[in-house]
Amino acid sequence: MREKVKVAIMGFGTVGTGTYKILTENRELIVNQVGADIEVVKILVRDINKKRQIEAPEYLFTSDADDILENPEIDIVVELMGGLEPAYSYIMKALERGKHVVTANKEVMAKKGRDILTKADENSLRLCFEASVCGGVPIIRALKNSLATDRITKIMGIVNGTTNYILTKMSQEGSEYEEALREAQALGYAEADPTADVEGYDAAYKMAILSSIGFHSKVDIDKVKREGISKVSQLDIEYGNELGWTIKLLGIAQDVEGKLDISVSPVMLPKQHPLAGVMGVNNAVFINSEAVGELMFYGPGAGQMATGNSVAADIMAIAKQIVMGNKMQSNCSCFTDKDYVEELKAGYYTRMNVINKPGVLAKIAAVFGNFGVSIESVLQKKTEGDKAEIVWITAKVGESSFRKAIEAIESLDVVNSISSIIRVENN
Ligand SMILES: NC(=O)c1ccc[n+]([C@@H]2O[C@H](COP(=O)([O-])OP(=O)(O)OC[C@H]3O[C@@H](n4cnc5c(N)ncnc54)[C@H](OP(=O)(O)O)[C@@H]3O)[C@@H](O)[C@H]2O)c1
């Protein structure tokens, strides 16, 4: 019987310190469940002289990755550095050296997950990555275990706290995008360079990970359609509000008769939908499945202790198996390679600025009609002099027909500009 499971942490920032704190402060709680002690024996950082948020013995720190990767005593390597490299190479080397791995790295898992999981399986090792999606929300374990026997048809997620904070500010306080972004940056919710969050890259990585598990398929990150929130304006929030909708940056992944459609974009969502009530930096994932029906997972998508807990729980799960001497289970549940839906049908909200004169509405409606786009409603909003703002809500339509209609409308002499187009998720 093992008395100790030895762990090394690579990265001692927000998540690394949270993980260390949980493993040390809840040591007894963990020992009682694992049947052995989990001991942190090395911590990798860039700068060993840097003042840390929490204290840890000096002898634990190193800036040489090989002190961990080449140490045969270490059972589990916990990668909490972030970024693609050197994280990916370190994870692969750890697996080659027979070490189990835990990571919180969504970029590595979205871009290289298949390679890593295959390597882990080849070497009968565990690779756990709960914290890579929605920080403290246990969504991956739920998909991999509790829902493993069910068929999932749709996954919708608010999986990026920064953008949800910005959109919440815009809708609750009437702020414009730039102002809400500056506030998010001042509070530490957004990076100085916010591109990864506001342009939807971070959410796309997370949706690729969730889809690969939920739909048991390899997912190519380049096939995830992505649009950020930087073009969402206060006017769209106001008009959406009048229509009973709220705007969220939503990841939507669907299995449509065996083909996948995965996207991240701003979406008009009915206010009654459970995801519409998710405010601030919180995350939530809403799942439709054949047997269970509708499920929602909600909670903190980031943060030192919440994310640290997801990492610590992964470490504990592996430690339990080591102690019991179990043969390690297969990591990869993405055993198919599904195609992608060529064209998904969706409804669209379109705001345009037009010349304010009789016959304009009919002219635009005729173009929509020519491309087979049915209109559900039209709202004439503010009129200023010879200019008017019109909002069109379409019925569900194929994206290419819709885009062709918009192109033709844009070239009409009565149309000044197409100000915004936002997908409507109305069912
Ligand atoms: N923050 C969250 O709430 C959250 C939530 C979910 C998932 N995640 C994921 O968790 C991971 C870590 O995020 P974080 O927020 O904890 O990052 P962080 O605060 O920036 O910490 C990164 C740590 O990694 C170390 N590091 C970075 N590159 C290194 C290298 N090349 N060699 C050695 N050490 C290196 C840094 O060392 P120094 O301290 O010496 O600079 C630092 O201790 C990322 O993959 C992130 O996406 C974070």
Side-chain angles (χ1 to χ4, degrees), residues 10-16 44-47 50 52 79-83 86 90 104-106 131-132 135 301-304 307:
M10 299 183 122
F12 207 57
T14 307
V15 185
L44 177 75
V45 288
R46 260 181 306 221
D47 175 5
K50 190 161 146 187
R52 303 283 156 190
E79 185 280 306
L80 303 172
M81 302 185 302
Y90 289 175
N105 194 323
K106 64 215 117 183
S132 65
Q304 185 190 39
T307 313

PDB file of all heavy atoms in Angstrom, residues 10-16 44-47 50 52 79-83 86 90 104-106 131-132 135 301-304 307, ligand 1:
ATOM      1  N   MET A  10       3.722  22.750 -12.101  1.00  0.00           N
ATOM      2  CA  MET A  10       4.449  23.626 -13.036  1.00  0.00           C
ATOM      3  C   MET A  10       3.625  24.888 -13.210  1.00  0.00           C
ATOM      4  O   MET A  10       2.591  24.877 -13.880  1.00  0.00           O
ATOM      5  CB  MET A  10       4.632  22.925 -14.379  1.00  0.00           C
ATOM      6  CG  MET A  10       5.432  21.635 -14.276  1.00  0.00           C
ATOM      7  SD  MET A  10       5.676  20.897 -15.897  1.00  0.00           S
ATOM      8  CE  MET A  10       7.443  20.827 -15.952  1.00  0.00           C
ATOM      9  N   GLY A  11       4.060  25.981 -12.583  1.00  0.00           N
ATOM     10  CA  GLY A  11       3.293  27.236 -12.612  1.00  0.00           C
ATOM     11  C   GLY A  11       2.719  27.503 -11.242  1.00  0.00           C
ATOM     12  O   GLY A  11       1.988  26.670 -10.684  1.00  0.00           O
ATOM     13  N   PHE A  12       3.089  28.677 -10.657  1.00  0.00           N
ATOM     14  CA  PHE A  12       2.620  29.005  -9.310  1.00  0.00           C
ATOM     15  C   PHE A  12       2.002  30.401  -9.314  1.00  0.00           C
ATOM     16  O   PHE A  12       2.321  31.259  -8.516  1.00  0.00           O
ATOM     17  CB  PHE A  12       3.803  28.930  -8.327  1.00  0.00           C
ATOM     18  CG  PHE A  12       3.401  28.602  -6.923  1.00  0.00           C
ATOM     19  CD1 PHE A  12       2.694  27.445  -6.612  1.00  0.00           C
ATOM     20  CD2 PHE A  12       3.749  29.456  -5.874  1.00  0.00           C
ATOM     21  CE1 PHE A  12       2.344  27.145  -5.298  1.00  0.00           C
ATOM     22  CE2 PHE A  12       3.405  29.162  -4.558  1.00  0.00           C
ATOM     23  CZ  PHE A  12       2.700  28.002  -4.272  1.00  0.00           C
ATOM     24  N   GLY A  13       1.094  30.613 -10.285  1.00  0.00           N
ATOM     25  CA  GLY A  13       0.364  31.880 -10.375  1.00  0.00           C
ATOM     26  C   GLY A  13      -0.989  31.708  -9.688  1.00  0.00           C
ATOM     27  O   GLY A  13      -1.091  31.070  -8.637  1.00  0.00           O
ATOM     28  N   THR A  14      -2.037  32.251 -10.315  1.00  0.00           N
ATOM     29  CA  THR A  14      -3.377  32.209  -9.708  1.00  0.00           C
ATOM     30  C   THR A  14      -3.800  30.774  -9.390  1.00  0.00           C
ATOM     31  O   THR A  14      -4.146  30.440  -8.250  1.00  0.00           O
ATOM     32  CB  THR A  14      -4.401  32.858 -10.672  1.00  0.00           C
ATOM     33  OG1 THR A  14      -3.916  34.148 -11.030  1.00  0.00           O
ATOM     34  CG2 THR A  14      -5.772  32.972 -10.033  1.00  0.00           C
ATOM     35  N   VAL A  15      -3.768  29.909 -10.396  1.00  0.00           N
ATOM     36  CA  VAL A  15      -4.293  28.556 -10.205  1.00  0.00           C
ATOM     37  C   VAL A  15      -3.304  27.674  -9.433  1.00  0.00           C
ATOM     38  O   VAL A  15      -3.701  26.871  -8.569  1.00  0.00           O
ATOM     39  CB  VAL A  15      -4.658  27.914 -11.570  1.00  0.00           C
ATOM     40  CG1 VAL A  15      -5.312  26.555 -11.356  1.00  0.00           C
ATOM     41  CG2 VAL A  15      -5.584  28.817 -12.353  1.00  0.00           C
ATOM     42  N   GLY A  16      -2.007  27.850  -9.716  1.00  0.00           N
ATOM     43  CA  GLY A  16      -0.995  27.053  -9.009  1.00  0.00           C
ATOM     44  C   GLY A  16      -1.055  27.278  -7.510  1.00  0.00           C
ATOM     45  O   GLY A  16      -1.034  26.321  -6.723  1.00  0.00           O
ATOM     46  N   LEU A  44       7.565  24.473 -10.310  1.00  0.00           N
ATOM     47  CA  LEU A  44       8.308  25.154 -11.372  1.00  0.00           C
ATOM     48  C   LEU A  44       7.758  26.564 -11.580  1.00  0.00           C
ATOM     49  O   LEU A  44       6.539  26.756 -11.694  1.00  0.00           O
ATOM     50  CB  LEU A  44       8.175  24.382 -12.694  1.00  0.00           C
ATOM     51  CG  LEU A  44       8.852  25.038 -13.898  1.00  0.00           C
ATOM     52  CD1 LEU A  44      10.370  24.861 -13.839  1.00  0.00           C
ATOM     53  CD2 LEU A  44       8.314  24.488 -15.214  1.00  0.00           C
ATOM     54  N   VAL A  45       8.665  27.549 -11.603  1.00  0.00           N
ATOM     55  CA  VAL A  45       8.286  28.933 -11.934  1.00  0.00           C
ATOM     56  C   VAL A  45       9.341  29.491 -12.885  1.00  0.00           C
ATOM     57  O   VAL A  45      10.393  28.872 -13.069  1.00  0.00           O
ATOM     58  CB  VAL A  45       8.201  29.824 -10.664  1.00  0.00           C
ATOM     59  CG1 VAL A  45       6.986  29.469  -9.816  1.00  0.00           C
ATOM     60  CG2 VAL A  45       9.477  29.730  -9.838  1.00  0.00           C
ATOM     61  N   ARG A  46       9.053  30.666 -13.448  1.00  0.00           N
ATOM     62  CA  ARG A  46      10.057  31.319 -14.294  1.00  0.00           C
ATOM     63  C   ARG A  46      11.114  31.975 -13.421  1.00  0.00           C
ATOM     64  O   ARG A  46      12.302  31.865 -13.643  1.00  0.00           O
ATOM     65  CB  ARG A  46       9.377  32.395 -15.158  1.00  0.00           C
ATOM     66  CG  ARG A  46       9.112  31.952 -16.564  1.00  0.00           C
ATOM     67  CD  ARG A  46       8.472  33.064 -17.351  1.00  0.00           C
ATOM     68  NE  ARG A  46       7.276  33.576 -16.679  1.00  0.00           N
ATOM     69  CZ  ARG A  46       6.162  33.894 -17.307  1.00  0.00           C
ATOM     70  NH1 ARG A  46       6.077  33.776 -18.614  1.00  0.00           N
ATOM     71  NH2 ARG A  46       5.129  34.362 -16.656  1.00  0.00           N
ATOM     72  N   ASP A  47      10.627  32.669 -12.352  1.00  0.00           N
ATOM     73  CA  ASP A  47      11.508  33.483 -11.524  1.00  0.00           C
ATOM     74  C   ASP A  47      11.409  33.006 -10.068  1.00  0.00           C
ATOM     75  O   ASP A  47      10.409  33.278  -9.394  1.00  0.00           O
ATOM     76  CB  ASP A  47      11.059  34.953 -11.670  1.00  0.00           C
ATOM     77  CG  ASP A  47      11.825  35.882 -10.751  1.00  0.00           C
ATOM     78  OD1 ASP A  47      12.765  35.409 -10.073  1.00  0.00           O
ATOM     79  OD2 ASP A  47      11.479  37.075 -10.712  1.00  0.00           O
ATOM     80  N   LYS A  50      10.782  35.709  -7.178  1.00  0.00           N
ATOM     81  CA  LYS A  50       9.577  36.548  -7.156  1.00  0.00           C
ATOM     82  C   LYS A  50       8.788  36.346  -5.863  1.00  0.00           C
ATOM     83  O   LYS A  50       8.690  35.217  -5.361  1.00  0.00           O
ATOM     84  CB  LYS A  50       8.713  36.138  -8.356  1.00  0.00           C
ATOM     85  CG  LYS A  50       7.554  37.009  -8.670  1.00  0.00           C
ATOM     86  CD  LYS A  50       7.153  36.703 -10.126  1.00  0.00           C
ATOM     87  CE  LYS A  50       5.699  36.797 -10.372  1.00  0.00           C
ATOM     88  NZ  LYS A  50       5.376  36.337 -11.747  1.00  0.00           N
ATOM     89  N   ARG A  52       5.667  35.642  -3.827  1.00  0.00           N
ATOM     90  CA  ARG A  52       4.478  34.867  -4.184  1.00  0.00           C
ATOM     91  C   ARG A  52       3.254  35.264  -3.359  1.00  0.00           C
ATOM     92  O   ARG A  52       3.404  35.756  -2.242  1.00  0.00           O
ATOM     93  CB  ARG A  52       4.751  33.372  -3.973  1.00  0.00           C
ATOM     94  CG  ARG A  52       5.938  32.857  -4.760  1.00  0.00           C
ATOM     95  CD  ARG A  52       5.592  32.665  -6.214  1.00  0.00           C
ATOM     96  NE  ARG A  52       6.765  32.724  -7.073  1.00  0.00           N
ATOM     97  CZ  ARG A  52       6.703  32.768  -8.399  1.00  0.00           C
ATOM     98  NH1 ARG A  52       5.538  32.758  -8.996  1.00  0.00           N
ATOM     99  NH2 ARG A  52       7.777  32.833  -9.125  1.00  0.00           N
ATOM    100  N   GLU A  79       0.293  20.785 -14.791  1.00  0.00           N
ATOM    101  CA  GLU A  79       0.727  21.903 -15.651  1.00  0.00           C
ATOM    102  C   GLU A  79      -0.235  23.077 -15.485  1.00  0.00           C
ATOM    103  O   GLU A  79      -1.399  23.002 -15.887  1.00  0.00           O
ATOM    104  CB  GLU A  79       0.781  21.423 -17.116  1.00  0.00           C
ATOM    105  CG  GLU A  79       1.329  22.463 -18.076  1.00  0.00           C
ATOM    106  CD  GLU A  79       0.313  23.515 -18.471  1.00  0.00           C
ATOM    107  OE1 GLU A  79      -0.785  23.147 -18.935  1.00  0.00           O
ATOM    108  OE2 GLU A  79       0.614  24.714 -18.304  1.00  0.00           O
ATOM    109  N   LEU A  80       0.265  24.168 -14.888  1.00  0.00           N
ATOM    110  CA  LEU A  80      -0.566  25.353 -14.642  1.00  0.00           C
ATOM    111  C   LEU A  80       0.176  26.619 -15.078  1.00  0.00           C
ATOM    112  O   LEU A  80       0.136  27.646 -14.394  1.00  0.00           O
ATOM    113  CB  LEU A  80      -0.944  25.435 -13.153  1.00  0.00           C
ATOM    114  CG  LEU A  80      -1.673  24.201 -12.602  1.00  0.00           C
ATOM    115  CD1 LEU A  80      -1.828  24.270 -11.108  1.00  0.00           C
ATOM    116  CD2 LEU A  80      -3.047  24.050 -13.262  1.00  0.00           C
ATOM    117  N   MET A  81       0.859  26.520 -16.229  1.00  0.00           N
ATOM    118  CA  MET A  81       1.623  27.662 -16.724  1.00  0.00           C
ATOM    119  C   MET A  81       0.819  28.458 -17.744  1.00  0.00           C
ATOM    120  O   MET A  81       0.910  29.675 -17.815  1.00  0.00           O
ATOM    121  CB  MET A  81       2.907  27.175 -17.413  1.00  0.00           C
ATOM    122  CG  MET A  81       3.800  26.349 -16.511  1.00  0.00           C
ATOM    123  SD  MET A  81       5.351  25.930 -17.320  1.00  0.00           S
ATOM    124  CE  MET A  81       4.778  25.075 -18.740  1.00  0.00           C
ATOM    125  N   GLY A  82       0.042  27.762 -18.572  1.00  0.00           N
ATOM    126  CA  GLY A  82      -0.731  28.415 -19.628  1.00  0.00           C
ATOM    127  C   GLY A  82       0.073  28.522 -20.914  1.00  0.00           C
ATOM    128  O   GLY A  82       1.291  28.318 -20.924  1.00  0.00           O
ATOM    129  N   GLY A  83      -0.614  28.858 -22.018  1.00  0.00           N
ATOM    130  CA  GLY A  83       0.043  29.001 -23.328  1.00  0.00           C
ATOM    131  C   GLY A  83       0.334  27.646 -23.952  1.00  0.00           C
ATOM    132  O   GLY A  83       0.303  26.606 -23.275  1.00  0.00           O
ATOM    133  N   PRO A  86       6.017  26.398 -23.506  1.00  0.00           N
ATOM    134  CA  PRO A  86       6.481  25.008 -23.503  1.00  0.00           C
ATOM    135  C   PRO A  86       5.504  24.011 -22.856  1.00  0.00           C
ATOM    136  O   PRO A  86       5.848  22.843 -22.691  1.00  0.00           O
ATOM    137  CB  PRO A  86       7.767  25.084 -22.689  1.00  0.00           C
ATOM    138  CG  PRO A  86       7.527  26.187 -21.702  1.00  0.00           C
ATOM    139  CD  PRO A  86       6.663  27.193 -22.404  1.00  0.00           C
ATOM    140  N   TYR A  90       6.179  19.978 -22.319  1.00  0.00           N
ATOM    141  CA  TYR A  90       6.364  19.460 -20.954  1.00  0.00           C
ATOM    142  C   TYR A  90       5.356  18.339 -20.660  1.00  0.00           C
ATOM    143  O   TYR A  90       5.683  17.320 -20.057  1.00  0.00           O
ATOM    144  CB  TYR A  90       6.201  20.576 -19.917  1.00  0.00           C
ATOM    145  CG  TYR A  90       7.334  21.594 -19.883  1.00  0.00           C
ATOM    146  CD1 TYR A  90       7.251  22.720 -19.063  1.00  0.00           C
ATOM    147  CD2 TYR A  90       8.484  21.447 -20.660  1.00  0.00           C
ATOM    148  CE1 TYR A  90       8.280  23.669 -19.012  1.00  0.00           C
ATOM    149  CE2 TYR A  90       9.510  22.388 -20.634  1.00  0.00           C
ATOM    150  CZ  TYR A  90       9.404  23.498 -19.813  1.00  0.00           C
ATOM    151  OH  TYR A  90      10.412  24.432 -19.772  1.00  0.00           O
ATOM    152  N   ALA A 104      -4.781  22.676 -16.619  1.00  0.00           N
ATOM    153  CA  ALA A 104      -5.929  23.599 -16.678  1.00  0.00           C
ATOM    154  C   ALA A 104      -5.874  24.364 -17.995  1.00  0.00           C
ATOM    155  O   ALA A 104      -6.539  25.379 -18.154  1.00  0.00           O
ATOM    156  CB  ALA A 104      -5.854  24.579 -15.509  1.00  0.00           C
ATOM    157  N   ASN A 105      -5.057  23.865 -18.930  1.00  0.00           N
ATOM    158  CA  ASN A 105      -4.692  24.632 -20.109  1.00  0.00           C
ATOM    159  C   ASN A 105      -5.644  24.365 -21.294  1.00  0.00           C
ATOM    160  O   ASN A 105      -5.510  23.377 -22.012  1.00  0.00           O
ATOM    161  CB  ASN A 105      -3.248  24.250 -20.471  1.00  0.00           C
ATOM    162  CG  ASN A 105      -2.628  25.196 -21.443  1.00  0.00           C
ATOM    163  OD1 ASN A 105      -3.284  25.686 -22.345  1.00  0.00           O
ATOM    164  ND2 ASN A 105      -1.342  25.455 -21.253  1.00  0.00           N
ATOM    165  N   LYS A 106      -6.597  25.293 -21.500  1.00  0.00           N
ATOM    166  CA  LYS A 106      -7.608  25.082 -22.560  1.00  0.00           C
ATOM    167  C   LYS A 106      -6.990  25.155 -23.951  1.00  0.00           C
ATOM    168  O   LYS A 106      -7.411  24.461 -24.858  1.00  0.00           O
ATOM    169  CB  LYS A 106      -8.745  26.099 -22.428  1.00  0.00           C
ATOM    170  CG  LYS A 106      -8.310  27.535 -22.647  1.00  0.00           C
ATOM    171  CD  LYS A 106      -9.058  28.478 -21.769  1.00  0.00           C
ATOM    172  CE  LYS A 106      -8.059  29.129 -20.845  1.00  0.00           C
ATOM    173  NZ  LYS A 106      -8.584  30.023 -19.880  1.00  0.00           N
ATOM    174  N   ALA A 131     -10.207  21.737 -15.024  1.00  0.00           N
ATOM    175  CA  ALA A 131     -10.156  23.201 -14.871  1.00  0.00           C
ATOM    176  C   ALA A 131      -9.989  23.939 -16.193  1.00  0.00           C
ATOM    177  O   ALA A 131     -10.054  25.167 -16.223  1.00  0.00           O
ATOM    178  CB  ALA A 131      -9.020  23.574 -13.926  1.00  0.00           C
ATOM    179  N   SER A 132      -9.804  23.198 -17.295  1.00  0.00           N
ATOM    180  CA  SER A 132      -9.595  23.889 -18.569  1.00  0.00           C
ATOM    181  C   SER A 132     -10.888  24.507 -19.109  1.00  0.00           C
ATOM    182  O   SER A 132     -10.846  25.363 -19.979  1.00  0.00           O
ATOM    183  CB  SER A 132      -8.991  22.938 -19.605  1.00  0.00           C
ATOM    184  OG  SER A 132      -9.900  21.908 -19.911  1.00  0.00           O
ATOM    185  N   GLY A 135     -13.427  26.881 -15.158  1.00  0.00           N
ATOM    186  CA  GLY A 135     -12.758  26.963 -13.850  1.00  0.00           C
ATOM    187  C   GLY A 135     -13.276  26.035 -12.759  1.00  0.00           C
ATOM    188  O   GLY A 135     -12.920  24.866 -12.714  1.00  0.00           O
ATOM    189  N   GLY A 301     -16.325  30.672 -13.167  1.00  0.00           N
ATOM    190  CA  GLY A 301     -15.540  30.174 -14.298  1.00  0.00           C
ATOM    191  C   GLY A 301     -14.060  30.426 -14.156  1.00  0.00           C
ATOM    192  O   GLY A 301     -13.273  30.044 -15.017  1.00  0.00           O
ATOM    193  N   ALA A 302     -13.655  31.082 -13.072  1.00  0.00           N
ATOM    194  CA  ALA A 302     -12.232  31.375 -12.862  1.00  0.00           C
ATOM    195  C   ALA A 302     -12.023  31.639 -11.373  1.00  0.00           C
ATOM    196  O   ALA A 302     -12.951  31.502 -10.570  1.00  0.00           O
ATOM    197  CB  ALA A 302     -11.824  32.596 -13.678  1.00  0.00           C
ATOM    198  N   GLY A 303     -10.773  32.015 -11.039  1.00  0.00           N
ATOM    199  CA  GLY A 303     -10.479  32.360  -9.644  1.00  0.00           C
ATOM    200  C   GLY A 303      -9.532  31.358  -9.012  1.00  0.00           C
ATOM    201  O   GLY A 303      -9.526  30.174  -9.370  1.00  0.00           O
ATOM    202  N   GLN A 304      -8.728  31.868  -8.089  1.00  0.00           N
ATOM    203  CA  GLN A 304      -7.680  31.065  -7.461  1.00  0.00           C
ATOM    204  C   GLN A 304      -8.228  29.788  -6.812  1.00  0.00           C
ATOM    205  O   GLN A 304      -7.784  28.681  -7.137  1.00  0.00           O
ATOM    206  CB  GLN A 304      -6.970  31.931  -6.409  1.00  0.00           C
ATOM    207  CG  GLN A 304      -5.792  31.252  -5.768  1.00  0.00           C
ATOM    208  CD  GLN A 304      -5.270  32.030  -4.556  1.00  0.00           C
ATOM    209  OE1 GLN A 304      -6.034  32.577  -3.765  1.00  0.00           O
ATOM    210  NE2 GLN A 304      -3.965  32.091  -4.432  1.00  0.00           N
ATOM    211  N   THR A 307     -10.834  27.456  -9.191  1.00  0.00           N
ATOM    212  CA  THR A 307     -10.125  26.702 -10.226  1.00  0.00           C
ATOM    213  C   THR A 307      -9.149  25.733  -9.579  1.00  0.00           C
ATOM    214  O   THR A 307      -9.006  24.587 -10.022  1.00  0.00           O
ATOM    215  CB  THR A 307      -9.385  27.663 -11.185  1.00  0.00           C
ATOM    216  OG1 THR A 307     -10.289  28.702 -11.566  1.00  0.00           O
ATOM    217  CG2 THR A 307      -8.904  26.956 -12.420  1.00  0.00           C
TER     218      THR A 307
HETATM  219  N1  LIG B   1      -6.786  32.189 -13.683  1.00  0.00           N
HETATM  220  C1  LIG B   1      -7.885  31.448 -13.691  1.00  0.00           C
HETATM  221  O1  LIG B   1      -8.837  31.699 -12.950  1.00  0.00           O
HETATM  222  C2  LIG B   1      -7.968  30.257 -14.607  1.00  0.00           C
HETATM  223  C3  LIG B   1      -9.181  29.553 -14.724  1.00  0.00           C
HETATM  224  C4  LIG B   1      -9.232  28.407 -15.513  1.00  0.00           C
HETATM  225  C5  LIG B   1      -8.092  27.980 -16.182  1.00  0.00           C
HETATM  226  N2  LIG B   1      -6.937  28.701 -16.078  1.00  0.00           N
HETATM  227  C6  LIG B   1      -5.752  28.207 -16.796  1.00  0.00           C
HETATM  228  O2  LIG B   1      -4.776  27.861 -15.836  1.00  0.00           O
HETATM  229  C7  LIG B   1      -3.471  28.078 -16.364  1.00  0.00           C
HETATM  230  C8  LIG B   1      -2.688  29.000 -15.426  1.00  0.00           C
HETATM  231  O3  LIG B   1      -3.355  30.238 -15.339  1.00  0.00           O
HETATM  232  P1  LIG B   1      -2.977  31.310 -14.208  1.00  0.00           P
HETATM  233  O4  LIG B   1      -4.050  32.348 -14.266  1.00  0.00           O
HETATM  234  O5  LIG B   1      -2.719  30.623 -12.919  1.00  0.00           O
HETATM  235  O6  LIG B   1      -1.608  31.914 -14.812  1.00  0.00           O
HETATM  236  P2  LIG B   1      -0.589  32.918 -14.094  1.00  0.00           P
HETATM  237  O7  LIG B   1      -1.187  33.510 -12.874  1.00  0.00           O
HETATM  238  O8  LIG B   1      -0.071  33.798 -15.149  1.00  0.00           O
HETATM  239  O9  LIG B   1       0.607  31.940 -13.619  1.00  0.00           O
HETATM  240  C9  LIG B   1       1.464  31.291 -14.506  1.00  0.00           C
HETATM  241  C10 LIG B   1       2.580  30.626 -13.720  1.00  0.00           C
HETATM  242  O10 LIG B   1       3.337  29.827 -14.608  1.00  0.00           O
HETATM  243  C11 LIG B   1       4.711  30.158 -14.513  1.00  0.00           C
HETATM  244  N3  LIG B   1       5.270  30.052 -15.866  1.00  0.00           N
HETATM  245  C12 LIG B   1       4.785  30.556 -17.016  1.00  0.00           C
HETATM  246  N4  LIG B   1       5.559  30.215 -18.064  1.00  0.00           N
HETATM  247  C13 LIG B   1       6.577  29.503 -17.552  1.00  0.00           C
HETATM  248  C14 LIG B   1       7.701  28.878 -18.125  1.00  0.00           C
HETATM  249  N5  LIG B   1       7.976  28.954 -19.429  1.00  0.00           N
HETATM  250  N6  LIG B   1       8.540  28.207 -17.296  1.00  0.00           N
HETATM  251  C15 LIG B   1       8.292  28.145 -15.971  1.00  0.00           C
HETATM  252  N7  LIG B   1       7.232  28.689 -15.370  1.00  0.00           N
HETATM  253  C16 LIG B   1       6.372  29.371 -16.161  1.00  0.00           C
HETATM  254  C17 LIG B   1       4.778  31.569 -14.000  1.00  0.00           C
HETATM  255  O11 LIG B   1       6.003  31.757 -13.321  1.00  0.00           O
HETATM  256  P3  LIG B   1       6.403  33.160 -12.621  1.00  0.00           P
HETATM  257  O12 LIG B   1       5.432  33.328 -11.496  1.00  0.00           O
HETATM  258  O13 LIG B   1       7.793  33.013 -12.144  1.00  0.00           O
HETATM  259  O14 LIG B   1       6.227  34.213 -13.688  1.00  0.00           O
HETATM  260  C18 LIG B   1       3.562  31.604 -13.058  1.00  0.00           C
HETATM  261  O15 LIG B   1       3.904  31.137 -11.794  1.00  0.00           O
HETATM  262  C19 LIG B   1      -3.694  28.659 -17.772  1.00  0.00           C
HETATM  263  O16 LIG B   1      -3.654  27.602 -18.712  1.00  0.00           O
HETATM  264  C20 LIG B   1      -5.080  29.229 -17.691  1.00  0.00           C
HETATM  265  O17 LIG B   1      -5.730  29.292 -18.944  1.00  0.00           O
HETATM  266  C21 LIG B   1      -6.841  29.821 -15.308  1.00  0.00           C
END
